[in-house]
Amino acid sequence: MKSTWKNALIWCCTIFLTLAAVIAFYFLLLNGSSIIKGLNSILSSMASIWLGLGLAYVLDPLIRFGERKLRERNVNQTVARVLTILIVLVLIGFLLFLIISRLVPRLVETINGLLSDLPGIQKTINSHLDRVNEWSPEVHDTIINMINTATDWVNTNLYTTINTITQSFLGLITGIVNLFVALIVLVYAQMSKERFIGQSKKLLYAVCHHKGAATWILDIFRQANLIFSGFITGKIIDSAIVGVICFPCLSILKIHYALLISVVIGVTNIIPVFGPFIGAIPCGVLLLFTHPLEALVFAIYILILQQIDGNIIGPRILGNSTGVSAFWVIVSILLFSKLLGIVGMIVGVPIFATPYYIIKRIVEEELARQNLPTDSMEYVQLERIDENGEMIYLKEESGRKKSLANRKTPKELALSLKTMAAALRSYIDRKRKK
């Protein structure tokens, strides 16, 4: 009797939970947009917290370095950390002061100069349009229609534009407040990071009863930390170096708006692959309308700078921090730019690299367990793997392997060339004697 009641109770609970799950799923379908808006508002309200945690994470290597140096001088750990955080915050404040006091006035001066050059730019555009009209009136009419459409759009959306500017100004004030709160979060996060790490590990081992699996998860998180910290910190340093190099070089080349262009190039360089083009194209177009010859010089200089950055500066700072090929870098940027916008273009590569590393590690561990090679190039010309685990290659690959096996070493090749040269010299001498 008890067993019957127990089974009936289990069935009732199962039916109730199933109906509740169906109702909840139906509710999510009907109110999905409202729920997403609610989640976005919650995440937006926590913007200062995310910013503070992000700053704490990016600045952690610098704080650990300063703390280690102070500990070497027999300073207490808590005191060393407090002093290091204060020094880092003072350095950040000093850097912001330099930017505001030195860079902002120069930027304002450059922008004012650009605005004063607008009449000249307009004359240049009109002269180009006159040449286009002489060459092809149809193309000229098309361009004029596009300009008129853009002008009409600006006039009809002027109120919206003013409202956007006002909201941007209010957003700047909110951003300053969020930055102040973020600095407070940074201090608390740095002071309690060991406790947070310990609590996370304790929770992991409490939930995951298989200790080997928990250890494997910890290794994955360590690797993810190396990927994120190495890529983001390195990219910031790399972009700062590119921006600093850009300004004096553009000044030596006497390029107009050198400071404004350098700031744009340095900031957009944080975005992998597409960042240099995102920054260089509008700057080049600006110079093309004002000083066409300088636009050509600027384009050549940017190509040289990006080659130096991509082949010398970037690899030395970043190395192979993500372990992802160039193809997957482009895929990750395009994917996460749709999901997270500009932020996705910046952090998309390390986010993609983490599951890529997990999959790669699982595959390589399974192949190693089967005594199979883990190098991908070993499988390019693979035909099949027989029952004994022997790798059978395609016939073309077998022929290529034989030709590689029969290939002479450099020493043997040099000896053969000497022999051929001696035989040719002997033949020529015999012909001369005759």
Side-chain angles (χ1 to χ4, degrees):
M1 189 71 178
K2 291 182 178 179
S3 178
T4 304
W5 277 105
K6 184 177 180 180
N7 292 333
L9 182 60
I10 292 174
W11 273 104
C12 289
C13 291
T14 304
I15 294 171
F16 173 76
L17 292 176
T18 304
L19 290 174
V22 171
I23 294 171
F25 182 71
Y26 180 72
F27 177 78
L28 288 175
L29 289 178
L30 289 179
N31 302 279
S33 59
S34 300
I35 294 173
I36 292 174
K37 289 181 180 179
L39 291 175
N40 288 333
S41 63
I42 293 173
L43 293 176
S44 300
S45 64
M46 298 175 64
S48 57
I49 297 177
W50 300 124
L51 179 60
L53 294 176
L55 289 174
Y57 183 78
V58 172
L59 296 175
D60 185 64
L62 183 61
I63 293 174
R64 284 191 286 108
F65 173 78
E67 184 179 348
R68 185 170 64 252
K69 291 298 182 181
L70 290 176
R71 290 293 304 278
E72 291 175 357
R73 299 178 179 274
N74 297 323
V75 179
N76 182 269
Q77 182 177 359
T78 304
V79 176
R81 179 163 301 177
V82 172
L83 289 176
T84 304
I85 293 173
L86 288 176
I87 292 172
V88 170
L89 291 179
V90 170
L91 288 175
I92 293 175
F94 181 70
L95 182 62
L96 291 175
F97 172 76
L98 284 179
I99 292 174
I100 294 173
S101 62
R102 301 284 183 177
L103 188 61
V104 172
R106 295 288 301 276
L107 282 176
V108 172
E109 180 182 349
T110 302
I111 294 172
N112 288 333
L114 176 61
L115 293 176
S116 63
D117 291 339
L118 284 179
I121 296 174
Q122 186 176 2
K123 291 181 180 179
T124 303
I125 294 174
N126 291 332
S127 64
H128 288 313
L129 288 176
D130 292 337
R131 294 178 183 176
V132 171
N133 189 25
E134 296 175 359
W135 171 65
S136 176
E138 293 80 6
V139 176
H140 175 268
D141 294 338
T142 303
I143 296 175
I144 292 297
N145 291 332
M146 293 173 60
I147 294 175
N148 292 334
T149 303
T151 304
D152 293 339
W153 184 88
V154 171
N155 292 330
T156 54
N157 293 275
L158 184 60
Y159 175 77
T160 305
T161 304
I162 296 174
N163 188 28
T164 303
I165 295 173
T166 305
Q167 290 179 355
S168 300
F169 179 74
L170 296 176
L172 178 63
I173 298 175
T174 305
I176 294 173
V177 175
N178 287 337
L179 179 61
F180 179 75
V181 177
L183 293 178
I184 298 175
V185 174
L186 183 153
V187 174
Y188 278 102
Q190 280 292 329
M191 293 302 297
S192 305
K193 61 183 179 182
E194 285 85 4
R195 179 178 292 276
F196 293 152
I197 294 173
Q199 290 175 345
S200 302
K201 292 181 180 180
K202 182 174 70 173
L203 178 63
L204 175 63
Y205 278 99
V207 173
C208 190
H209 297 285
H210 194 283
K211 302 302 182 288
T215 303
W216 188 85
I217 294 173
L218 282 179
D219 290 338
I220 294 297
F221 274 102
R222 290 191 187 96
Q223 184 64 29
N225 175 53
L226 291 176
I227 293 173
F228 269 86
S229 61
F231 180 82
I232 295 176
T233 306
K235 200 62 184 172
I236 292 174
I237 296 173
D238 174 55
S239 301
I241 293 174
V242 169
V244 170
I245 292 175
C246 191
F247 176 64
C249 293
L250 292 180
S251 300
I252 293 173
L253 294 173
K254 297 181 179 180
I255 302 294
H256 285 74
Y257 323 118
L259 182 61
L260 178 62
I261 293 174
S262 300
V263 172
V264 172
I265 295 296
V267 172
T268 56
N269 196 69
I270 298 177
I271 301 173
V273 182
F274 300 106
F277 301 101
I278 294 174
I281 289 175
C283 297
V285 171
L286 172 64
L287 290 174
L288 182 63
F289 283 121
T290 55
H291 308 87
L293 184 60
E294 291 184 7
L296 178 61
V297 175
F298 170 73
I300 296 173
Y301 169 73
I302 286 298
L303 288 175
I304 297 173
L305 179 62
Q306 293 306 323
Q307 290 298 318
I308 295 174
D309 178 42
N311 296 292
I312 299 176
I313 301 175
R316 289 185 177 274
I317 296 175
L318 295 172
N320 192 18
S321 57
T322 60
V324 179
S325 64
F327 172 78
W328 292 115
V329 168
I330 295 175
V331 170
S332 61
I333 293 172
L334 294 175
L335 175 63
F336 285 95
S337 64
K338 294 292 184 181
L339 298 176
L340 301 175
I342 297 296
V343 176
M345 298 183 74
I346 297 173
V347 302
V349 176
I351 291 176
F352 183 87
T354 301
Y356 181 90
Y357 168 78
I358 295 173
I359 296 172
K360 179 182 177 183
R361 178 168 174 174
I362 292 173
V363 171
E364 291 184 352
E365 287 178 355
E366 182 61 24
L367 290 173
R369 189 182 65 82
Q370 300 179 33
N371 295 322
L372 293 175
T374 57
D375 187 7
S376 300
M377 299 306 296
E378 294 287 339
Y379 296 87
V380 174
Q381 296 294 333
L382 179 68
E383 180 181 1
R384 60 188 173 86
I385 299 177
D386 61 14
E387 298 175 353
N388 298 323
E390 186 71 21
M391 300 180 70
I392 309 299
Y393 293 92
L394 296 172
K395 292 182 179 180
E396 294 179 359
E397 180 67 9
S398 300
R400 192 177 71 86
K401 283 181 174 292
K402 289 180 181 178
S403 65
L404 289 175
N406 295 328
R407 185 177 294 176
K408 295 180 179 181
T409 63
K411 187 176 181 180
E412 293 173 344
L413 183 61
L415 183 60
S416 299
L417 291 174
K418 288 182 180 179
T419 305
M420 292 173 61
L424 181 61
R425 193 180 303 111
S426 177
Y427 174 78
I428 294 173
D429 291 340
R430 287 199 305 271
K431 288 292 184 181
R432 285 179 178 176
K433 290 178 181 179
K434 291 181 179 180

